[in-house]
Each structure stands twice: as structure tokens, then as C-alpha cells.
Amino acid sequence: MSALLTADWFHLDSYYRKFDLYTMVWSMDEGLGTMVVSGAPYGGPIAVVRDRKQFVQIATIVKPVITIYNCVGNVMSKILWNSGVLIHMGWSDAEQLLCVQESGDVLIYDMFGAYQKTFSLGQEVRDTKVCKAQLFPNPHGIGLAVITSTNRMFLVSNVSDPKIRSVPDLPRANDPISSWCVLSSGQRSGSSMIGFLVCRDKEIYKCQLGESVAVLMRPEIQNAYTQILTIVPSQNGRHVALFTDSGILWIGSSNFKTKYCEIDTGYFKQPKELVWCGSQAIVGHWDDMMYVYGFNDTVVSYPYDGPFHIIPEMDCVRVISEMTHELIQKVPDVVDKILRINSTAPGCYLLEASKQFQKRSHRADEYIRLVKPDLANAVQDCIDAAAFEFSPDVQKMLIRAAQFGKGFILDPVLTDHYVKTCRWLRVLNSIRDPKVAIPLTFFQVQNLGERILLDRLIWRRLHCLATHIASYLQLKDGQTRVLSHWACYKVTQPHLDNESAAREIGEKLRNVPGISYATIAMKAAEKGRKALAIKILEYERSRALQVPLLLALGEGGAALRRACAAADTDLVHVVLLHLKDNMSKHDFEMTIRGFPLAQALYLKYCAGHNREALRKVLVQEDNFPGQAATHIRDAIDSTNPGSVEASLISARECYKKAKNDLGVSICEELRKLCKQQSSLQETYGVSFLGLSLHDTVKRLLDQGEVKLADKLRSEYKMPDRRYWWLRILTLAERHDWTELDRFSKSKKSPIGFEPFVDACLKYDNKDEALKYLPKCRDDIKVKYYVKAGFFEEAARVAFEQKDKSALLFVQSKCPLRDSSQHAAIAALLEQLNNKK
């Protein structure tokens, strides 16, 4: 059995294996030999277009057609190329096809041939024309590098966010370039080092971003040569392979300081393809022969019956011919340990024990005894080895061995690892199935992650499979993402009628958390299906998402109705402003009349921003109190006495129509006050207009016009309490303490004498305050003495009132530094206690 499992292995410096993935079913008008082939990494689609450099008889249309196949050769889409000269094709990390034109424009299509967008590499590239281009992976994403006809080099680190950058020019810029590549050397000091390796005959220049000049590199190549025909870096950027015109394949470090080996290939012409298989082997393609070279000068050759192409992956290569799709990879170390012939690894013994157990042989116990000290490691190795296998039969064999060994130990971590690996194996087997045809290795799927794997199924519109995988792997929001994409795809199908499509989407997504129907409706609107978008929006629960889209679709009435139903004033304001800008005035006012909340908010808005518009609406509605309020506001804001009086007269008339006698009276009194203020303003040269009665009286008191102030307050029936407060404050501000004392004795104070004390203390006149303290109310007299700082007097009043708590209060407020006052208060307190 072991011999059969290793039949497709071959040895370089370590073991590699080559095995079939699929039998290709594609049918082409022309063979692969006349085609340019670009395969997306991670088992992605394959783009094929006729090579314009080859002269072949064309039996079909003249314009080139780019055909996109999946990994078994089924046609996914066709793109009729109507643009400029196509220089290069490649794939983004989102599995979008990038077509680089001679003009420097990069056209982007999805795998189903739908045009997405275009970006340009700048005017200089457009003027000088692209002659060479390469796409390359780097820590930022998928990058694009081009060389123009003038040997100028430009680079984009990430095609998703294209920012054009140039690199240093080569010396002797007009000399031809024999070969070149992009070197991305991973992370260094937080940023990736990206540059060009450019070969000009025997010279190799390194042109790196951030450097000012190109650096000449000097690799140690023993065999004589005149030109480097091909240069290829490894994906990790640590190694480089060169092929010279003398047939020598040189392999070494990317800084050219270390040489690993030089191999005589026996070929003098440039290979059709030279790619890295992982980071420890090189695969070369000449004519119908493929060679795999190791670092120790070993080589393995494979003849092919017809043309083929090699697609490099991060840990392997895929070989596509007209009949088969194969994979070449280094045998994973854990698989090598277990399945290698004559292996003595614990995992190998456990596998044999499992086989004997299934045969019901007693030898199973003998093998278990051999492996028992390392049984946990053996189980771990069997689980890991199963993950790296493509054959379900081999996977089952290794998983059975792990399950058998796991029965002898109790390790929760190992059990969890076993369960997760079994889950992933089921997922990998389902996506590797020819109906799906995504031949991912376990190492690749670990690098991608479960979310990106789900995205790749979604991009292929395999929604059912993606939903099952999301559920099986227990992805948190997997089902939501899949069904959201499904719905967005559903609304783009023109053959579905609006009613059935909306109903199907609503039923399918009803109980799915996190679904945004607004996003789906927006997609429908983008495709010109407005009616469908409106129907889908009926399922959207968030008014904040629903209303703006209804406005964008021109459904202002529906948007206003739903904003009012949500009682969200911010949303209603948004709708009102939109409708006001996009409807005639009459239509707008008629529309909002049916929505009390909207009309109320609009009136409030007009009150602050457009009073004339507010007045017109109020006139239409026969709202006389509201009209009167606008006239009063005009009067308040106006500085012209004539305008103020006219506004007040208008307000009075509105109140008359509303039969509001109080309003009429107030307007009349206010108009009368306004006339008096105008007269006072002319007399004293001080502004009176617009002041309230309170402020008018105070200003007269400030001017010393006591009789006039008294007359005005009597005429308008100002309360005595208010008038006394004004007199007290005015006299205190003027420090007219004599007049204040005279005023206090003029008649009985309606507000008591505490305000007199407060006014004196406000201006730090304690002696004057002492005049009024004895006249304060008994219940607050002690507090006012304390407030004025007369502690002995406060204590004496408290003693006379026989109020112990008041005496204690005075004692607590008396400063500690004043010992004599403390002693007097203590004596009074003691006397009060003795009396009791």
C-alpha cells in the first residue's frame, strides 16, 4: 500500500510529488500552443486569449476574445476585446481580471466578464507606451509593474488603490533590456521593499523604490555567458533563479551574495516558462518538456504530448495541458514521515496499527505498544497529514488512524484539533469537486482564511454551497454575507418579475440577522429596477436606511410617510429639506399638509429661518394666533419705532380676529409703551426701544428719574415687590446709602428688610447692613447676622430667642482665630444650658 501511496513521488533535495487534479473538458477553436494563459492563484479561474505575437490562421472573428475557464475547463465567460493593444493579463486578489493596455490603461473585469472599472498609469506612460508588464504579490496586495518603450519603470503597490510610483532609471537608458522581474522582499522596518531586477546582457541592476540610483549586482556565475535571458524571484523574495544564453540555470539568494547551485539545462534558448515551486525547486518549460530542478543539482523531467502551461502557487505549481490539470508540490514533512517507505516515525506505526485493527489482527496491539510513548505526537501527525492530502481515501485512512490512536489517550486539545481538521477536510473536498473546481491545498486555505474562502465561493455565485460551508464552519456572520450577495445578484436578473423577486428575497432573508435590505434595494436601483427597489425597501426595518434611498428614487411622499411613522424628527427634517429643494412651493405645501408632524417641524424651521414663508402658511391655514406671534417677533427684532408700532398693530388685529381679548390688550399696552420709550429715547439720548417694562423702569431709575419711573410702574400696574427690588438694587449700585435708608423708612417694605441687607453686603458695606439687620424676620435674623459677619450679635439674638441650635450654628461659623468671640458664644451657650 505504501508503495502505491508514494508512486507519484520523486526526489530532489527532498521528496516532491506530481499528481492529477482534473481531466480537462475544455474545447477550443485553437490549441493551447497559440494561447496566452493567465491562471489566478489559489485555484482561481484561467483566462485564455490568442497570442498576438504568433502568426496563425484565424477561422473566427478578427477581434480577440478573452475566454475565462474554471479549473476543469468549463467556460465561465467570454470578453470580446474592443480596446487597445493588450500587453498583459493577470488576476487581482479579489479574482478580478486585469488587462493592461499599451496605453497604460488597466481594464478590470470580474470572472463572469462584467466590466468593473478602469484606472490609468499616468500621462507619461500613455505617451511612451507600455511594452512589458507584470503583476506580483506583495504585503500590500497585488501590485503592477510596467516598463515603457523608453525603458522607464513604473510601479503600483496595490491595484485596489492605484498610486503610481517611479523607480530610478537605468544607466544607458536606451540600451535594450534582455529580462526583468519585480522583487518584493517582504517586511522590513514596517514596510515592504519593492523594486525591479533588470538584466541588460550580463549586467543585473536593482532599481528599488526610495532609492535615487540603480545598483549594479554581481552574481557569481562560473560558466561563461553573454546574456541573461530569464530572471525569476521566489514568492517570498529571498531567492532568485537566472537562465543564461549558455543554458545555465543559476540559483541563489536575492541579494546575489550566496549561490546555491549552477545547473546545465542542455537548452540554449529561453524557456517558455520558468517558475518557482514553493521556495526550494524551479520548474522549467521548453517545447513539450517540463523539468523540475532542485538546489542540489538534481533534475526530474516530464514529457508532454502537447502544449501545456504552468501556473505558480505559493506552495506548489499547477500544470495545465489540453487533457489534464496536475499539481506539483513538495511532499509535506509530516506526510513524508508517515508514508515514506521504511519509515520508523510514530505516525507510521500508528497507521499500521490502525490497518491491523481493521483486519482484526492481534498485531495492532504490537504496533500500539511500539508507538505508545509518542502516541499523542503520532495522532497529531496523522491528523496533520490527512489535512495535506487530496485523495479522500488517503484522508480517511489517516483520519481512521488518528481516531484509533485517540481512543488510548485523553487530550481535549487534540480532540478539538481532530474535529476542526475533519471539518476542513469536508470543506476542501467539496470545493475541490470538479463541479466547483477550486483545487486549494490546506496550506493555501490556511493562508486565505475562512472569510476569504467564503468570498471566493460567493464571487462564483455558489451561494448554496457557501451557505452550507458557513453554517458547517460556524462562521459568525457567514450566512448573512452569503445571502446578502445572493439577493444583490438576484435583483440583477432581468427575467425575474418585480413581485416574485421581492417576495422570494423577503421570505429567504426574513429571519437572517444583520441583513440590509437598503443595500439590496440600492443594487436594484443601480440596475434600473426602481419598482423592485421600492418593494424590497418595504422589508427594511431601519428608517434611517430606508428613507434616504426612497428620496434618491424620487419617492418623496413615501419617504415622508415613513419618516413621520418612525417619529424621527431628524429624518423628517432631511425629507423636508429634500422636498423643498426638489418640488414646487405649492406641491410642497400641499404634500406636508397631510402630515401634522412634518408641518409642525416645517413651521418651526420657518420660524427660525424664513418668517415670511411661515406667515404665508399661517395665512393659508387661517391661524390668527400664529400670525400674531410672527408680528410680535417682528416687533421684537425691529429697531425702527414706526416698524415696531406697525407690527404691534398687525398683531392686535390678528388677535381681534382670533377673539383673544388678552392678546389685544397686551398688544395695545405694548404699543403704548413703545411710544413712550420712543419719547424717552429722544429726551435722554439713551436707548429705550425694545426694552421690557421692568428694564424701562430700571433704566429710568438709573437716570435718577424716580418720579417718572414711579408714574410708569403705576400706569402699567407693576407689582410693588418688583418695584421695591428695582429701587433697592439701583440705589445700592449707585452707593446712595442715604437715599436707601430714606427709602426704607418711606413706607412698610413689601419685601421685608432682607433685600436691603443683601444689597449692602453685595457692595461690602457691613456697617450699612447693620442698620437693617434688627428689622429682619426673627426666623432668619440669626442667619443674616452670621452672613454679615456679626457673630457676637448673632449669638446674642439666638440667646434671646433661647435657640440652642442657632447658638451652635453661630459657634460653628465663627472663625477659630477669633478666640474672644468664641469665648463669648461659649458663655452664652453655657448660660442657656444652665437655665434649662
Side-chain angles (χ1 to χ4, degrees), residues 327-362:
L327 186 139
I328 301 174
Q329 68 172 174
K330 181 180 180 293
V331 176
D333 293 337
V334 66
V335 176
D336 185 20
K337 281 197 303 183
I338 295 175
L339 299 184
R340 188 177 66 242
I341 297 175
N342 296 327
S343 172
T344 58
C348 184
Y349 286 134
L350 178 58
L351 178 61
E352 191 59 36
S354 173
K355 292 177 182 177
Q356 296 299 328
F357 178 76
Q358 291 169 45
K359 295 177 183 177
R360 300 184 180 276
S361 170
H362 67 279

Side-chain angles (χ1 to χ4, degrees), residues 172-197:
R172 309 187 313 278
N174 294 326
D175 290 0
I177 293 172
S178 57
S179 61
W180 70 291
C181 69
V182 182
L183 182 67
S184 177
S185 55
Q187 299 290 328
R188 187 182 301 170
S189 303
S191 61
S192 61
M193 308 299 289
I194 303 174
F196 287 74
L197 290 178

Side-chain angles (χ1 to χ4, degrees), residues 277-333:
C277 180
S279 59
Q280 292 182 316
I282 304 291
V283 181
H285 172 196
W286 283 271
D287 299 327
D288 292 338
M289 291 292 295
M290 182 177 70
Y291 299 88
V292 186
Y293 301 96
F295 283 10
N296 58 354
D297 295 343
T298 52
V299 59
V300 175
S301 62
Y302 290 98
Y304 280 81
D305 293 335
F308 63 94
H309 288 275
I310 305 172
I311 300 173
E313 296 279 6
M314 62 183 304
D315 60 334
C316 60
V317 297
R318 291 185 285 135
V319 184
I320 300 172
S321 68
E322 294 180 346
M323 300 298 294
T324 61
H325 190 158
E326 301 169 304
L327 186 139
I328 301 174
Q329 68 172 174
K330 181 180 180 293
V331 176
D333 293 337

Side-chain angles (χ1 to χ4, degrees), residues 153-320:
M153 292 168 282
F154 296 88
L155 186 143
V156 172
S157 298
N158 187 357
V159 294
S160 298
D161 182 22
K163 295 178 181 177
I164 316 303
R165 304 175 70 181
S166 60
V167 296
D169 291 333
L170 293 171
R172 309 187 313 278
N174 294 326
D175 290 0
I177 293 172
S178 57
S179 61
W180 70 291
C181 69
V182 182
L183 182 67
S184 177
S185 55
Q187 299 290 328
R188 187 182 301 170
S189 303
S191 61
S192 61
M193 308 299 289
I194 303 174
F196 287 74
L197 290 178
V198 183
C199 303
R200 179 180 284 156
D201 295 333
K202 297 180 70 172
E203 298 174 338
I204 303 176
Y205 290 94
K206 188 174 185 178
C207 309
Q208 192 162 290
L209 286 176
E211 301 292 338
S212 57
V213 295
V215 179
L216 180 64
M217 312 302 291
R218 302 182 185 277
E220 179 191 345
I221 304 178
Q222 292 181 349
N223 292 274
Y225 68 100
T226 58
Q227 193 176 60
I228 297 173
L229 300 179
T230 304
I231 180 168
V232 184
S234 62
Q235 287 207 17
N236 59 17
R238 298 176 184 174
H239 318 296
V240 168
L242 309 174
F243 180 77
T244 68
D245 58 356
S246 61
I248 298 300
L249 179 64
W250 183 93
I251 307 174
S253 62
S254 59
N255 58 9
F256 298 99
K257 293 181 180 179
T258 305
K259 179 178 73 173
Y260 306 148
C261 64
E262 287 186 26
I263 302 171
D264 186 357
T265 64
Y267 287 93
F268 297 101
K269 63 180 180 180
Q270 185 176 5
K272 291 182 179 179
E273 294 166 301
L274 189 68
V275 300
W276 282 81
C277 180
S279 59
Q280 292 182 316
I282 304 291
V283 181
H285 172 196
W286 283 271
D287 299 327
D288 292 338
M289 291 292 295
M290 182 177 70
Y291 299 88
V292 186
Y293 301 96
F295 283 10
N296 58 354
D297 295 343
T298 52
V299 59
V300 175
S301 62
Y302 290 98
Y304 280 81
D305 293 335
F308 63 94
H309 288 275
I310 305 172
I311 300 173
E313 296 279 6
M314 62 183 304
D315 60 334
C316 60
V317 297
R318 291 185 285 135
V319 184
I320 300 172

